[in-house]
Amino acid sequence: MPYPPPPRTPSGPRRRSLLASAAGAALLAGCTADPHSGGGTSSVTARARARAARDSRDLVARYDAVLAAHPGLADRLRPLRAQVAAHATAFGDATTPSPAKSPSAPASPAPVPATEKDAVAALATAERTLADQRAKALLAVPGELARLLASVAAAGAVHAYLLTEGAK
């Protein structure tokens, strides 16, 4: 009786290996940078930090606008909004208002959808888009800022997931 042929394994790296390698390379790029360069002295780092703070501040404004238009979402959105405000602070933004200090009708960078479901979906899209931007941006900055961007991008992806899956 002949032996069955051995199972065929594909040659070359698998998709998971490539994705893990890309993620590892991105983190390694942040970890191998000059440890003295993460203090915000370079103009690239300062600009990236200021942009990240502004982006978080804008996202807080979106949360505030949705909360003002749809108060029934408060229990669901306030914890996420608080984390986004903490991200702005971590990037050096001291101007992000707390929920108690925010005006009752904050300015919104985008119109708030009329239904709660659509408003939450718009927030999820904003979180996902910003997380993707930050994941790309972390490759261009050194050390500590790269690690902070990676962490905040991961948090944004989780927020997008929670906003999307929480509706189901």
Side-chain angles (χ1 to χ4, degrees), residues 11-110:
S11 62
R14 293 181 175 220
R15 188 178 346 191
R16 283 188 201 144
S17 299
L18 289 173
L19 290 173
S21 297
L27 289 176
L28 186 59
C31 294
T32 59
D34 179 13
H36 302 293
S37 66
T41 57
S42 82
S43 62
V44 171
T45 301
R47 282 193 311 268
R49 187 176 287 277
R51 178 182 173 127
R54 185 187 70 238
D55 290 345
S56 290
R57 189 174 54 245
D58 292 346
L59 189 55
V60 167
R62 289 188 76 138
Y63 272 94
D64 288 344
V66 170
L67 286 166
H70 302 289
L73 293 171
D75 289 342
R76 183 173 174 195
L77 298 183
R78 275 200 184 118
L80 300 177
R81 186 239 183 250
Q83 287 182 353
V84 174
H87 298 159
T89 302
F91 288 119
D93 182 33
T95 62
T96 303
S98 67
K101 294 179 186 175
S102 64
S104 59
S108 173

Side-chain angles (χ1 to χ4, degrees), residues 27 80 83 87 91 127-128 130-136 138 146-162:
L27 289 176
L80 300 177
Q83 287 182 353
H87 298 159
F91 288 119
E127 286 273 15
R128 191 175 304 108
L130 187 53
D132 290 346
Q133 288 173 359
R134 287 178 169 161
K136 290 175 187 170
L138 72 87
R147 287 185 282 279
L148 180 58
L149 280 170
S151 177
V152 174
V158 170
H159 290 178
Y161 174 81
L162 291 171

